[in-house]
Amino acid sequence: MSAHLALKIGEQAKMAEIRFHNTMSGQTEPFVPLVPGEVRIYTCGPTVYDFAHVGNFRTFVFQDILRRYLKSKGFRVIQVMNLTDVDDRIIQKAAAAGLSIREYTDKYIQAFLDDRRALNLEPPEHIVRATDHIEDMVKLIQRLTEKGFTYTSDGSTYFRIAKFPSYGKLSKIDVAGMQTGARVDMDRYDKDNARDFALWKAPKPGESFWETPIGPGRPGWHIECSAMAMKYLGDTLDIHSGGVDLTFPHHENEIAESEGATGKQFARYWLHAEHLMVDHEKMSKSVGNFATLRELFSHGQKPSSVRFLLASVPYRSQLNFTPESLQGAASSVERLRNFASRLRTEKFPEGSSPAIPERAANAREEFEQGLADDLNTARALAAIFDLVRDINTAISRGEFHQGDVAPVLAAMDSFDAIFAVLKDDDAEKLRALGLGQDSAGPSDAEIDALVAERQGARKRRDFAASDRIRDQLAERGVILEDSRDGQVRWKRK
Ligand SMILES: [Zn+2]
């Protein structure tokens, strides 16, 4: 790439100011972290009483795109994600199964981590369990009590929201005229039900509990996140994110607890991902229309198609999850993989042309601009698909040269640093989940070895052996494509 062009790209990257939509202000704002070069993110993780459904993973994929993007911009990212491993449902289900809370939740935590790997979700720097932080939560409740924010009733401790005048500022809930002292023990409740909420819950007869200085019991859901976020990230975080349904009461209550205790701003940017819809209904366990990743995979869907579909719709738009949209995602991934593999394996005429590197640089710039614009993944993807189309046209016209490969592959690499779908490892991923052993077919290494063997046979002009290997691979779902220059590309059906 010429020095002139490199300079131009540098200037353009600088121009793409990062902007995120902040639920607190209701505005899309320039993103400036508290400490230059570093971004501290808190992510509300799953309640591990069952397998997470694909609607949950929409939020987790969005958070993965967010962290990959920030890293690609040179930020050091410190992300904390909690695992809610104690709540009413967990206590009930563990008791019904005759297991301790720890034993019961271990299984779903492992499944969640496996599912994350299948979707290429980078691990957050800290994944923390609520039950490992009871002491931190108790200390935070004690701080709130010292400042007069709490009261107790029947052994439980409640947060008095009337003592926190800005209560409602995130969800814009109207607390005027609300009955003071009305309280709620449930962790999840409706918006028209703003109430004093439980920080610490006294045990019901027969329930497991922790013996602590504030009495026997267990933490409420909201205090978990406040305590763990501040423990690992300090009093003020850069980004707090989660699904839009967490805005109220969960995030509102986290703010009241954290800011009540510290007197400082809790999170500077609040990013919320929209729902995943199934046939225009919100996907959730309460509606019963949920699918776990494993259900999708065992019905033949690939991890890369699910990741691509969840990533392709900008996070603040609703995404309608249908078999057709999954099919479309699978074709898109295949198109991108075929293109990248063609560039890597095909031999093009020697030389280079100024137009192609410039075209690649423009695509990268448009890709960057899309992501800088509140992670507009649809715009970023359009830039890459336009590039693929134009380069394929250039190749068919003989206007693409060997020297043009590197800049175009570099554009594909910067795309894949965020979207992470180019590596053809779906079969491996399914095997890791214990799925698809029969249909998964041979590994990459096995295919490469057979392809090399076939090349050897062709060199010897042993076409019978060459055809036999081709047929064997076809039977196992691998298609070979011989190009005019004698190279061989392969892909899975
Ligand atoms: Zn939370």
Side-chain angles (χ1 to χ4, degrees):
M1 192 183 300
S2 72
H4 166 71
L5 200 60
L7 181 67
K8 210 166 123 197
I9 294 165
E11 280 164 4
Q12 285 160 345
K14 233 184 287 166
M15 276 166 57
E17 178 187 56
I18 302 172
R19 295 166 70 81
F20 291 140
H21 185 270
N22 189 346
T23 308
M24 186 62 85
S25 64
Q27 307 281 324
T28 301
E29 305 170 359
F31 173 71
V32 184
L34 196 59
V35 177
E38 185 178 293
V39 184
R40 283 163 301 140
I41 306 175
Y42 187 80
T43 296
C44 292
T47 302
V48 285
Y49 70 104
D50 202 345
F51 294 104
H53 64 73
V54 71
N56 304 128
F57 280 104
R58 192 212 176 165
T59 305
F60 300 130
V61 168
F62 143 65
Q63 289 156 343
D64 187 61
I65 298 283
L66 171 67
R67 61 169 284 135
R68 284 171 180 269
Y69 173 62
L70 290 169
K71 280 170 69 183
S72 79
K73 302 306 286 181
F75 290 106
R76 173 174 172 242
V77 169
I78 309 164
Q79 183 188 8
V80 175
M81 184 175 69
N82 71 302
L83 299 167
T84 298
D85 61 350
V86 55
D87 85 335
D88 291 329
R89 288 165 298 189
I90 290 172
I91 290 175
Q92 280 167 18
K93 287 184 170 243
L99 297 171
S100 70
I101 288 178
R102 198 86 187 179
E103 288 164 336
Y104 182 80
T105 53
D106 275 348
K107 171 183 160 190
Y108 293 110
I109 289 175
Q110 194 52 54
F112 176 65
L113 299 177
D114 292 345
D115 285 354
R116 288 184 60 92
R117 266 191 296 275
L119 290 186
N120 272 351
L121 301 177
E122 288 188 345
E125 283 62 28
H126 304 274
I127 298 186
V128 291
R129 290 175 81 144
T131 55
D132 288 335
H133 296 79
I134 302 292
E135 204 185 319
D136 301 296
M137 297 170 207
V138 168
K139 281 189 185 145
L140 184 56
I141 295 170
Q142 287 173 318
R143 276 173 83 184
L144 288 167
T145 299
E146 279 160 29
K147 292 196 166 187
F149 285 103
T150 71
Y151 60 94
T152 57
S153 173
D154 296 330
S156 294
T157 306
Y158 295 88
F159 188 98
R160 193 188 296 281
I161 60 175
K163 288 283 283 183
F164 187 73
S166 59
Y167 191 85
K169 64 182 172 182
L170 179 71
S171 58
K172 318 294 182 267
I173 193 174
D174 185 9
V175 290
M178 209 195 49
Q179 198 194 340
T180 48
R183 59 179 177 264
V184 60
D185 287 294
M186 284 183 307
D187 286 327
R188 292 161 202 265
Y189 49 92
D190 293 336
K191 207 167 181 173
D192 34 330
N193 234 332
R195 301 282 171 90
D196 293 348
F197 57 91
L199 297 166
W200 187 256
K201 303 186 193 193
K204 296 191 189 88
E207 265 185 13
S208 350
F209 60 91
W210 282 261
E211 197 61 71
T212 74
I214 58 171
R218 63 183 173 89
W221 173 33
H222 320 295
I223 198 76
E224 289 178 16
C225 285
S226 289
M228 295 190 284
M230 294 196 292
K231 173 170 181 152
Y232 293 95
L233 298 172
D235 292 347
T236 302
L237 341 169
D238 291 303
I239 299 175
H240 196 308
S241 73
V244 68
D245 52 333
L246 297 186
T247 312
F248 186 88
H250 184 52
H251 290 161
E252 199 70 72
N253 292 350
E254 281 188 42
I255 292 170
E257 294 158 347
S258 302
E259 299 191 356
T262 66
K264 295 179 202 157
Q265 184 184 30
F266 177 42
R268 301 171 66 241
Y269 297 86
W270 288 87
L271 271 55
H272 289 105
E274 259 300 337
H275 294 304
L276 186 74
M277 313 295 279
V278 179
D279 292 333
H280 305 286
E281 235 190 300
K282 179 190 160 193
M283 178 181 271
S284 77
K285 292 198 175 164
S286 48
V287 193
N289 60 357
F290 66 93
T292 64
L293 287 184
R294 283 142 210 260
E295 284 168 335
L296 288 169
F297 296 157
S298 56
H299 284 88
Q301 303 296 348
K302 291 179 183 174
S304 59
S305 329
V306 176
R307 178 178 169 97
F308 185 89
L309 176 56
L310 295 182
S312 62
V313 175
Y315 73 99
R316 290 202 308 121
S317 308
Q318 284 184 351
L319 191 165
N320 201 19
F321 196 84
T322 60
E324 293 74 33
S325 56
L326 263 175
Q327 193 47 53
S331 320
S332 297
V333 170
E334 194 170 323
R335 184 150 177 245
L336 293 166
R337 284 179 180 174
N338 286 343
F339 177 72
S341 126
R342 179 176 197 188
L343 290 186
R344 288 202 174 90
T345 53
E346 209 164 303
K347 285 272 171 285
F348 301 100
E350 283 310 310
S352 65
S353 42
I356 301 287
E358 197 155 331
R359 180 67 193 83
N362 287 342
R364 285 177 83 161
E365 189 208 338
E366 177 57 20
F367 181 77
E368 288 289 328
Q369 298 274 3
L371 292 176
D373 174 17
D374 195 25
L375 297 180
N376 187 338
T377 47
R379 185 177 156 193
L381 279 177
I384 291 303
F385 279 105
D386 286 351
L387 176 71
V388 170
R389 187 200 53 215
D390 289 355
I391 299 302
N392 278 329
T393 306
I395 292 174
S396 62
R397 288 187 184 151
E399 292 165 4
F400 187 86
H401 299 88
Q402 199 56 41
D404 300 328
V405 168
V408 177
L409 273 183
M412 295 306 285
D413 285 345
S414 58
F415 147 78
D416 206 47
I418 311 294
F419 282 85
V421 291
L422 286 186
K423 192 170 171 211
D424 189 0
D425 58 358
D426 289 298
E428 256 167 69
K429 291 213 151 91
L430 292 176
R431 270 197 298 270
L433 287 178
L435 296 166
Q437 279 103 332
D438 297 331
S439 58
S443 69
D444 287 7
E446 203 181 330
I447 298 169
D448 287 338
L450 285 166
V451 168
E453 198 183 315
R454 178 169 168 270
Q455 288 289 74
R458 288 173 87 195
K459 252 191 202 139
R460 297 193 308 272
R461 307 190 66 79
D462 181 354
F463 295 113
S466 153
D467 287 350
R468 197 168 54 239
I469 295 169
R470 168 190 281 273
D471 293 346
Q472 277 169 0
L473 281 168
E475 258 169 47
R476 300 176 72 189
V478 179
I479 300 172
L480 302 186
E481 285 170 15
D482 296 312
S483 63
R484 276 175 310 209
D485 56 26
Q487 300 286 312
V488 182
R489 295 204 304 270
W490 59 261
K491 62 179 187 185
R492 292 191 173 86
K493 260 190 260 188

